[in-house]
Amino acid sequence: MTYKEVVDQINQIRRFGNLAGVEVAGRMLKALGSPQAGIPLIHIAGTNGKGSVSAFLCAILREAGLRVGMFTSPHLVDFRERIQINGEMISKEDTQRIGVQLLAMDFGVQPTMFDVTLAMAILYFKEQRCDVMILETGLGGRLDATNAVGVPDVTVITKIGYDHMAVLGNTLAEIAAEKTGIIKKGTSLVLESQEAEVMTVFEAKVREEGITDFRLIDPLEIKEQTYRDGRQYFSFGAYRDLSMRMLGVHQYENAIAALLGAEAFFRRHTEWICGGTKEREEGVRRAVCQGIAKTVWKGRMEILSKKPFLLVDGAHNSNGVEALRESLVALFPGEKFHFIMGVMADKDYETMIGELLPLAIDFTTCTVECERALQADALADCIRRKGIAAASADDFASCFQRGRLDETHRTVAFGSLYFIGEIEALFEAK
């Protein structure tokens, strides 16, 4: 098979299987000879921010000289974005070679697209002699395929909110219970700040597993938050005036989650930073500062065009849109925006719209190229019923061609990561 045929066949595999992902992936990895053995693992779960934390962590560990494998999902433009080493996507040749191997194997179970891609990633990281791998969960945690890999050196859990409720549960406590499934005895744990009912679940799990190396982020510890010259700056503990290209008020906490995760990793692996205690501390601090400053992550509060202004953000649930609203208010105080929106039909889109109504001049809606997409006309009707002008478009390209982006007011496109991927692809083609 060609590279395209391999990727097409993987993408056509069903999204959900008959067995839990953790069971399927466990059988696959055993059949493959347990390629994950011997590679230290950092495991990341949560509702929002997983990809950003992964990107921050990858950059920090790279600055310390490590060879870092990173597995994330979904991709925006290119399938190979899911599997990266030190920020470089897996090659088409390696994707084709490993894909042909996996697709030809009979594992005795029916893997999903996610299961196959995870197996490809771990095989690739093993072949390429990665020093550490960062795995982002797909859906949930307890039953997620990534939970079959083993006990992580470090576990990071980002913000928990309402998403995938049909699968994970109808309350924050139920959703949190699924996410806590990745917490295992012997791991170092970093938690972003959470709602009280979520923390009750986490605290019980920490006691149950006997976790002793545990850090909960307190947002009040994040000091001197400023935005200037297209970058954000902040201080945290001994770290002063940290700089980052990643925009959005939520990125402060994501950066700190990565910072604390990296510190926990280096406490376990002192061999990566040479010298005595003081030299190691300085080495970690340098890697953290440089890594956070260099981190980029496509589709997250990303400015694609300055004139006319276009910012894109993969805010695809109510918590993500709340963070988007807070970020726009902080970065551009007093301004109103043109919004372009494309979402899935199973999302709480009415709540998402409500978050942005006070900042909206108008909305343009698009139908995402996905069978689960909410139709643009239906979304526009919903917005108009709330008293804000809304027009539908066939896709983002038609918005762009019709001159919907103006020079006077900023335009913000948000919603499904599939939708943001369509926009990214359009700009890359241009």
Side-chain angles (χ1 to χ4, degrees), residues 17 62 66 69 72 80 86 101 187 235 287 323 325 334 341 382 416 418 423:
R62 284 174 60 190
L66 279 71
T72 60
R80 297 177 299 135
N86 283 7
Q101 174 190 349
T187 193
S235 297
R325 174 183 55 77
M341 182 178 183
C382 178
S416 163
Y418 295 103
I423 300 173

Side-chain angles (χ1 to χ4, degrees), residues 374-405:
L374 179 64
Q375 295 301 303
D377 289 342
L379 182 56
D381 287 343
C382 178
I383 295 168
R384 284 192 291 265
R385 287 196 298 270
K386 297 179 184 295
I388 292 289
S392 59
D394 293 333
D395 50 31
F396 180 80
S398 61
C399 295
F400 204 72
Q401 291 160 3
R402 291 181 200 169
R404 291 185 186 272
L405 308 186

Side-chain angles (χ1 to χ4, degrees), residues 265-276:
F265 181 83
F266 287 123
R267 283 197 299 272
R268 290 171 171 259
H269 296 276
T270 56
E271 69 273 16
W272 286 110
I273 306 290
C274 298

Side-chain angles (χ1 to χ4, degrees), residues 25-171:
R27 295 190 192 185
M28 293 178 71
L29 291 173
K30 184 177 181 180
L32 292 167
S34 299
Q36 76 277 17
I39 310 177
L41 167 65
I42 298 176
H43 203 183
I44 302 176
T47 304
N48 293 301
K50 298 188 297 292
S52 297
V53 172
S54 298
F56 278 124
L57 262 168
C58 181
I60 292 169
L61 298 177
R62 284 174 60 190
E63 289 299 315
L66 279 71
R67 188 165 176 77
V68 187
M70 184 173 70
F71 171 76
T72 60
S73 63
H75 62 273
L76 291 183
V77 179
D78 191 320
F79 171 85
R80 297 177 299 135
E81 295 169 25
R82 295 168 178 260
I83 304 171
Q84 300 184 27
I85 295 179
N86 283 7
E88 295 292 327
M89 295 187 296
I90 183 174
S91 69
K92 290 184 176 180
E93 292 76 17
D94 287 319
T95 303
Q96 176 189 11
R97 175 179 55 81
I98 300 173
V100 167
Q101 174 190 349
L102 292 172
L103 291 171
M105 292 183 69
D106 181 1
F107 294 103
V109 289
Q110 292 184 315
T112 64
M113 177 266 196
F114 188 87
D115 301 329
V116 173
T117 310
L118 173 65
M120 179 184 291
I122 294 173
L123 283 173
Y124 183 61
F125 298 156
K126 186 72 170 181
E127 288 180 1
Q128 298 297 313
R129 300 179 182 275
C130 286
D131 300 308
V132 59
M133 57 184 174
I134 299 168
L135 302 183
E136 174 192 318
T137 60
L139 181 64
R142 180 176 64 92
L143 301 177
D144 192 80
T146 58
N147 212 21
V149 176
V151 178
D153 285 73
V154 180
T155 301
V156 181
I157 301 185
T158 65
K159 284 282 191 294
I160 303 299
Y162 291 104
D163 204 4
H164 302 295
M165 294 161 66
V167 178
L168 301 180
N170 293 317
T171 68

Side-chain angles (χ1 to χ4, degrees), residues 269-291:
H269 296 276
T270 56
E271 69 273 16
W272 286 110
I273 306 290
C274 298
T277 301
K278 183 177 180 181
E279 288 80 9
R280 286 199 299 270
E281 289 176 353
E282 291 176 350
V284 171
R285 187 173 291 112
R286 182 168 54 252
V288 165
C289 294
Q290 293 175 353

